[in-house]
Amino acid sequence: MRELRVSTKSRAYSVYVGTALLARLPELLKQHNIQTNQKLFLVTDSHVAPLYSENIVEPLRNAGFRVDMSVVPAGESSKSLEVLDRLYADAIQAGLDRSSVVLAFGGGVVGDLAGFLAASFMRGIPFVQLPTTLLAHDSSIGGKVGINHKLGKNYMGAFHQPLFVLFDVNILTTLPERELTAGFAEVIKHALIWDSNFVSWLEKNNMALRNRDLPILEEAIYRGCKVKISVVSDDETESGIRAILNYGHTIGHALESVSSYKRYTHGEAIAIGMVGAAMLSVEILSAPAQLVEDTELLLRKFSLPTRIQDQWTEDSLLQLMKRDKKAKHGIYTFILSKELGRVEVVHDIPEEKIRKVLHQLKEVSR
Ligand SMILES: NC(=O)c1ccc[n+]([C@@H]2O[C@H](COP(=O)([O-])OP(=O)(O)OC[C@H]3O[C@@H](n4cnc5c(N)ncnc54)[C@H](O)[C@@H]3O)[C@@H](O)[C@H]2O)c1
Ligand SMILES: [Zn+2]
């Protein structure tokens, strides 16, 4: 088991990454001063529950903990007020109090939803992140929790840091292929924004990673978490450097939104977005054209898309980018890169440059 430390202004906590870690949850809770008289409230989804809930509940009960469980439907639609309301009801009926602990056991959906439950229930109770998707190596760190509104994604939320994060890599063996691939996009993003050695390492290990070689996956998660931690430790509430985590996300979010979140997984959308960001970097920062080629090559090694294959108009995408709630200081702000492993925030990007890039993204690549 490997341990990383996150230290933000509001609290410091550990991220544990390793194999066969779920069985160690009772011991880790006790190490974090959670006593057996504190109720545990496990939130998970309808895919994860039948596969793993026993693996988690049994050791906890054997160790003397009282555990109640609530299972939400798998999928993004559970990040809603309706599902949150049901969780509040379950939590009240289970008799949770201020000393109770929420266990968020699932992908980014469960992490965001159960994290927001913990942030708001009785003005905030502790919670533990138990991520079960590769993407969740990203979402479980940093304390951003929340739900969606019918009118848009992630409109209600809070910053609530977990007690600790425990990533049991074994759990990825059952993750559907497309979800694994989507997770690689965020791993690649962490390498591209921060660490050129990590970029080369991913190039070299792509086959082992795609074949779910567990020690190699563990290393990728460890390195990805390390980048996320470096960024959020400096900037807990996203006033500055944390924005670089949005590399590829401006175009990515527009693609997700224009296709009503059905055509692309989040990872696929940001993969295309990262190619777009590299193209824009060539336009705006005079980055070498090689940056685009290298980015595409890496993404393709992980079977991620690099081009827009549908006929969305540039106008419809630009319209959505303008509405992106991160737009600040002028209309378009992008995270751009001069070389693999380094990025910067660039404001006031002229619309015609973005239009050009969106057009290029529709061309078939070599
Ligand atoms: N808070 C943050 O900082 C942050 C960052 C990035 C993304 N997010 C959020 O994360 C969400 C996406 O997360 P996600 O991609 O993990 O999606 P997800 O939670 O919906 O999980 C993807 C699918 O895999 C299934 N699944 C999960 N673990 C499994 C396992 N081990 N075996 C088999 N099936 C499994 C789930 O049931 C689901 O069907 C989005 O809502 C996004 O907004 C949050
Ligand atoms: Zn993302």
Side-chain angles (χ1 to χ4, degrees):
M1 174 170 94
R2 293 200 273 178
E3 181 176 354
L4 288 156
R5 288 290 288 173
V6 187
S7 64
T8 63
K9 281 195 201 89
S10 66
R11 55 174 291 121
Y13 54 97
S14 294
V15 177
Y16 305 101
V17 184
T19 45
L21 287 190
L22 276 188
R24 296 183 62 181
L25 181 61
E27 159 201 338
L28 284 168
L29 285 168
K30 285 179 181 167
Q31 266 179 35
H32 286 81
N33 294 322
I34 305 301
Q35 315 296 331
T36 51
N37 60 1
Q38 293 174 258
K39 280 201 171 144
L40 303 179
F41 187 64
L42 177 71
V43 180
T44 188
D45 78 20
S46 55
H47 290 157
V48 177
L51 292 168
Y52 299 106
S53 62
E54 275 316 298
N55 302 30
I56 202 164
V57 170
E58 262 207 24
L60 287 170
R61 292 207 171 123
N62 290 341
F65 284 104
R66 285 171 301 160
V67 194
D68 280 282
M69 177 165 87
S70 218
V71 181
V72 303
E76 185 71 26
S77 58
S78 278
K79 269 174 62 173
S80 68
L81 274 173
E82 292 73 27
V83 175
L84 179 65
D85 186 53
R86 247 177 283 149
L87 288 180
Y88 286 137
D90 288 351
I92 293 165
Q93 271 154 9
L96 296 206
D97 58 31
R98 294 227 50 187
S99 74
S100 306
V101 179
V102 172
L103 306 175
F105 185 42
V109 164
V110 166
D112 281 11
L113 171 70
F116 192 51
L117 168 77
S120 50
F121 190 77
M122 293 186 164
R123 295 192 189 81
I125 61 174
F127 85 117
V128 174
Q129 284 275 20
L130 304 165
T132 66
T133 63
L134 181 56
L135 180 136
H137 88 282
D138 177 1
S139 57
S140 60
I141 297 171
K144 269 202 202 179
V145 294
I147 57 171
N148 304 326
H149 190 273
K150 279 196 282 297
L151 299 179
K153 251 182 79 103
N154 294 328
Y155 267 99
M156 287 83 76
F159 284 99
H160 190 53
Q161 304 292 344
L163 205 54
F164 60 88
V165 181
L166 184 153
F167 202 128
D168 185 339
V169 180
N170 288 91
I171 218 150
L172 296 181
T173 49
T174 54
L175 190 66
E177 195 67 27
R178 197 166 175 210
E179 301 296 343
L180 184 76
T181 302
F184 283 129
E186 298 282 9
V187 176
I188 291 170
K189 178 198 77 182
H190 283 139
L192 289 176
I193 64 171
W194 202 258
D195 182 352
S196 58
N197 289 329
F198 189 17
V199 176
S200 329
W201 184 88
L202 286 171
E203 274 163 1
K204 211 170 75 209
N205 288 286
N206 80 91
M207 279 318 287
L209 286 164
R210 292 178 57 189
N211 291 330
R212 309 185 197 213
D213 178 323
L214 291 185
I216 306 287
L217 261 181
E218 181 182 323
E219 179 67 22
I221 291 162
Y222 179 82
R223 288 190 180 206
C225 289
K226 229 169 140 172
V227 174
K228 174 97 190 216
I229 290 169
S230 306
V231 177
V232 300
S233 296
D234 288 345
D235 181 13
E236 183 177 11
T237 52
E238 202 163 82
S239 44
I241 188 182
R242 192 162 175 165
I244 69 171
L245 295 168
N246 291 319
Y247 188 56
H249 280 57
T250 311
I251 292 175
H253 283 153
L255 283 172
E256 285 184 285
S257 175
V258 79
S259 57
S260 311
Y261 297 89
K262 293 197 174 86
R263 171 76 172 79
Y264 303 102
T265 61
H266 176 67
E268 289 164 355
I270 68 154
I272 299 170
M274 288 190 284
V275 177
M279 288 171 169
L280 199 54
S281 305
V282 174
E283 294 288 324
I284 305 282
L285 300 180
S286 306
Q290 191 68 34
L291 180 77
V292 180
E293 281 171 39
D294 291 347
T295 304
E296 281 200 82
L297 206 62
L298 179 60
L299 292 166
R300 277 206 230 107
K301 281 191 171 172
F302 287 87
S303 291
L304 282 157
T306 59
R307 296 300 164 121
I308 305 173
Q309 279 145 2
D310 313 82
Q311 288 312 304
W312 316 117
T313 63
E314 281 88 322
D315 277 326
S316 56
L317 292 166
L318 281 165
Q319 211 51 43
L320 289 161
M321 278 179 223
K322 268 186 209 158
R323 263 201 278 154
D324 195 319
K325 64 182 186 300
K326 293 182 185 77
K328 233 202 256 176
H329 310 289
I331 306 186
Y332 297 101
T333 294
F334 267 78
I335 315 303
L336 299 180
S337 171
K338 280 196 189 119
E339 56 185 298
L340 297 176
R342 261 186 44 205
V343 291
E344 56 195 86
V345 184
V346 183
H347 302 297
D348 292 321
I349 297 192
E351 186 166 299
E352 69 269 18
K353 298 280 188 197
I354 304 170
R355 193 179 290 277
K356 182 174 170 194
V357 160
L358 290 173
H359 189 76
Q360 268 175 279
L361 275 176
K362 287 189 188 170
E363 290 163 3
V364 181
S365 61
R366 279 175 290 148

